[in-house]
Amino acid sequence: MDKILVRSGNALKGKIPISGAKNSALTLLPCALLTDEPLTLRNLPRLADIDGFQHLLNQFGISTMIAGSRPEDFGRVMTLSATRLTSTVAPYELVRKMRASILVLGPMLARAGEATVSLPGGCAIGNRPIDLHLKALEAIGAEIEMAAGYVKAVAPKGRLTGGTYTFPVVSVGATENVVMAAVLANGTSEIKNAAREPEIVDLCNLLVAMGASIEGIGTSDLIIHGKDRLHGATYRVMSDRIEAGSYACAAAITGGDVELVGAKMSEMDATVEALRAAGVIVDETADGIRVAANGKLQALTLETAPYPGFATDMQAQFMAMLCMADGASVLTETIFENRYMHVSELNRMGADVETKGRTAIVRGVEKLTGAPVMATDLRASMSLVIAGLVAEGETEVSRLYHLDRGYERLEEKLQLVGADIERVGAE
Ligand code: UD1
């Protein structure tokens, strides 16, 4: 399997193009299920997870066509047509590999009146239940049964009714599922304590472009008036705020000065605030965001929270950056119970991180040292690359399939700003 070799050296300088958002793309793609007309998505990132989702949609009889992009370009355009569905079953082999597959449940149920989706099972960053997805769908008229590891959801009389649901805790995935189902219900739905991540705003904006009626977009109270049918649309996926934040941490740790081209400051408030509190200069530019180091990094106290709080998807990258800060930082992970798998790897590189339950104390060190490392999830892998950019000697990051799930051509983008990084095939 391939590895990434990263050597310490240059302060990163220059421009990094930011791709379309993975987490948005994975909820926009299943919207193709909601209409028999073509849906064209632009600015889709080239990622293993997108390929996997495309494959899953093909299983239901959705045709997909990729056009208009050359191999050397970032991003691509995909046209999806669900003229007729040939299957309403998402099998275990596909769902197991990609948790986001659960996002077909709502739109499939709304379109076909039934959907059978394998339970996704656990994952490296903790137990990730789907009970809220199911409760929210039941609240808008679904009947749900579990059998042999599958969820079977049916809309009695072929159509969801709409209804009211209040989330007991904020869930991004469950909000996405119920919104995608409610847009075709035979009535109005009110979703309270909905997640309001920018990716959910992106989803709602696409649905409106397809003819849906949604009030309260961007708030935690969504009112959705169901429509008899939706139509096709052409839509550009928002830029990836987590990718942008990751490169911001990479620039800051190296003492660099980079422009994140395409990044949107208004979607990254908590990340920008945390970077500034650490002493990093962050400015909006005509094309994106400039991130520049300004002396030694300062320690921070950070707690992950649903948007607009500090994103759990940024925790590992900030931890890597704060390993080189002046003083002790305190990070608290409130979303997932097991999202510190990068800690032991960072410590092997000379970091001083101690975890106590959901809290990690990151004591700044004078230097990190390169080592062979591997990680068990996507953002954790990125934190090791960030540490590797300043660790003395060479860091060898293996299990690249995690990085390839979420960072489009990572090593190329870092090379563009002067990093000493390469991908090599394993001997
Ligand atoms: C979560 C993150 C999202 C991140 C993604 C990938 C939040 C609120 N969500 O989204 O920012 O991009 O991981 O790392 O930060 N839960 C239940 N039952 C459910 C669904 C969720 O108990 O049916 C719990 C989860 O265990 C978790 C919390 O709710 O503690 C939030 O989970 P959720 O937002 O649904 O997870 P993702 O959609 O994967």
Side-chain angles (χ1 to χ4, degrees), residues 258-260 263-265 268 282-285 288-291:
V258 302
E259 187 178 12
L260 306 167
K264 266 217 180 142
M265 190 108 144
M268 295 175 58
V282 188
D283 291 321
E284 197 158 17
T285 64
I289 300 177
R290 174 185 169 228
V291 177

Side-chain angles (χ1 to χ4, degrees), residues 361-423:
I361 317 280
V362 186
R363 294 185 190 85
V365 293
E366 282 308 312
K367 67 165 192 169
L368 295 171
T369 317
V373 286
M374 60 169 82
T376 35
D377 76 72
L378 169 59
R379 308 300 169 188
S381 308
M382 187 60 188
S383 78
L384 302 176
V385 171
I386 291 170
L389 290 167
V390 293
E392 266 177 20
E394 186 172 86
T395 298
E396 185 186 290
V397 184
S398 50
R399 297 204 181 158
L400 294 191
Y401 47 87
H402 292 299
L403 281 171
D404 292 339
R405 278 187 43 223
Y407 289 92
E408 181 173 10
R409 294 196 274 171
L410 168 87
E411 64 281 11
E412 275 179 60
K413 291 193 183 186
L414 284 170
Q415 282 162 2
L416 283 174
V417 288
D420 186 352
I421 184 168
E422 62 179 326
R423 180 182 289 248

Side-chain angles (χ1 to χ4, degrees), residues 235-248:
Y235 190 81
R236 187 174 202 279
V237 180
M238 66 178 273
S239 78
D240 196 318
R241 65 194 172 103
I242 307 300
E243 187 198 27
S246 304
Y247 289 126

Side-chain angles (χ1 to χ4, degrees), residues 22-23 99 125 127-134 169-174 176 195 197 199 241-242 305-307 310-313 334-337 339 358 379:
K22 172 184 83 87
N23 287 345
R99 240 196 138 269
I125 60 176
N127 177 29
R128 294 172 82 174
I130 58 157
D131 55 317
L132 300 177
H133 297 239
L134 306 185
V169 293
V170 174
S171 164
V172 174
E176 291 166 345
E197 266 64 5
E199 292 75 15
R241 65 194 172 103
I242 307 300
Y307 191 86
F310 182 77
T312 176
D313 277 351
T334 71
I335 309 290
F336 294 114
E337 74 273 21
R339 207 171 189 180
R358 289 179 174 244
R379 308 300 169 188

Side-chain angles (χ1 to χ4, degrees), residues 109-396:
L109 173 64
R111 165 83 181 273
E114 59 167 55
T116 305
V117 178
S118 168
L119 287 168
C123 86
I125 60 176
N127 177 29
R128 294 172 82 174
I130 58 157
D131 55 317
L132 300 177
H133 297 239
L134 306 185
K135 284 187 183 130
L137 291 173
E138 277 174 341
I140 62 163
E143 282 179 3
I144 290 176
E145 245 173 58
M146 314 280 262
Y150 279 77
V151 179
K152 183 167 170 83
V154 175
K157 297 190 200 142
R159 186 126 182 240
L160 293 167
T161 50
T164 299
Y165 186 70
T166 305
F167 279 103
V169 293
V170 174
S171 164
V172 174
T175 300
E176 291 166 345
N177 240 332
V178 72
V179 167
M180 287 188 278
V183 289
L184 282 182
N186 188 20
T188 295
S189 300
E190 183 166 3
I191 311 299
K192 296 182 184 173
N193 199 25
R196 50 196 169 121
E197 266 64 5
E199 292 75 15
I200 295 199
V201 174
D202 214 27
L203 168 66
C204 290
N205 287 341
L206 167 64
L207 291 170
V208 168
M210 294 170 71
S213 167
I214 308 176
E215 290 170 40
I217 295 175
T219 74
S220 48
D221 196 357
L222 298 171
I223 297 173
I224 301 160
H225 305 285
K227 295 275 174 160
D228 291 340
R229 61 184 307 273
L230 296 186
H231 52 73
T234 295
Y235 190 81
R236 187 174 202 279
V237 180
M238 66 178 273
S239 78
D240 196 318
R241 65 194 172 103
I242 307 300
E243 187 198 27
S246 304
Y247 289 126
C249 291
I253 200 173
T254 65
D257 187 343
V258 302
E259 187 178 12
L260 306 167
V261 177
K264 266 217 180 142
M265 190 108 144
S266 57
E267 289 158 355
M268 295 175 58
D269 282 353
T271 297
V272 169
E273 198 183 305
L275 286 165
R276 285 181 174 155
V280 180
I281 297 169
V282 188
D283 291 321
E284 197 158 17
T285 64
D287 297 328
I289 300 177
R290 174 185 169 228
V291 177
N294 183 22
K296 188 136 172 99
L297 290 162
Q298 300 303 310
L300 293 180
T301 297
L302 289 174
E303 184 170 305
T304 62
Y307 191 86
F310 182 77
T312 176
D313 277 351
M314 285 307 305
Q315 178 257 109
Q317 303 89 312
F318 265 77
M319 183 184 288
M321 182 185 88
L322 293 169
C323 286
M324 296 300 285
D326 200 11
S329 299
V330 181
L331 305 188
T332 305
E333 173 58 63
T334 71
I335 309 290
F336 294 114
E337 74 273 21
N338 190 18
R339 207 171 189 180
Y340 282 138
M341 247 105 54
H342 40 291
V343 168
S344 54
E345 299 300 281
L346 289 171
N347 284 345
R348 291 180 57 246
M349 297 173 72
D352 181 355
V353 185
E354 191 190 336
T355 53
K356 284 186 193 146
R358 289 179 174 244
T359 299
I361 317 280
V362 186
R363 294 185 190 85
V365 293
E366 282 308 312
K367 67 165 192 169
L368 295 171
T369 317
V373 286
M374 60 169 82
T376 35
D377 76 72
L378 169 59
R379 308 300 169 188
S381 308
M382 187 60 188
S383 78
L384 302 176
V385 171
I386 291 170
L389 290 167
V390 293
E392 266 177 20
E394 186 172 86
T395 298
E396 185 186 290

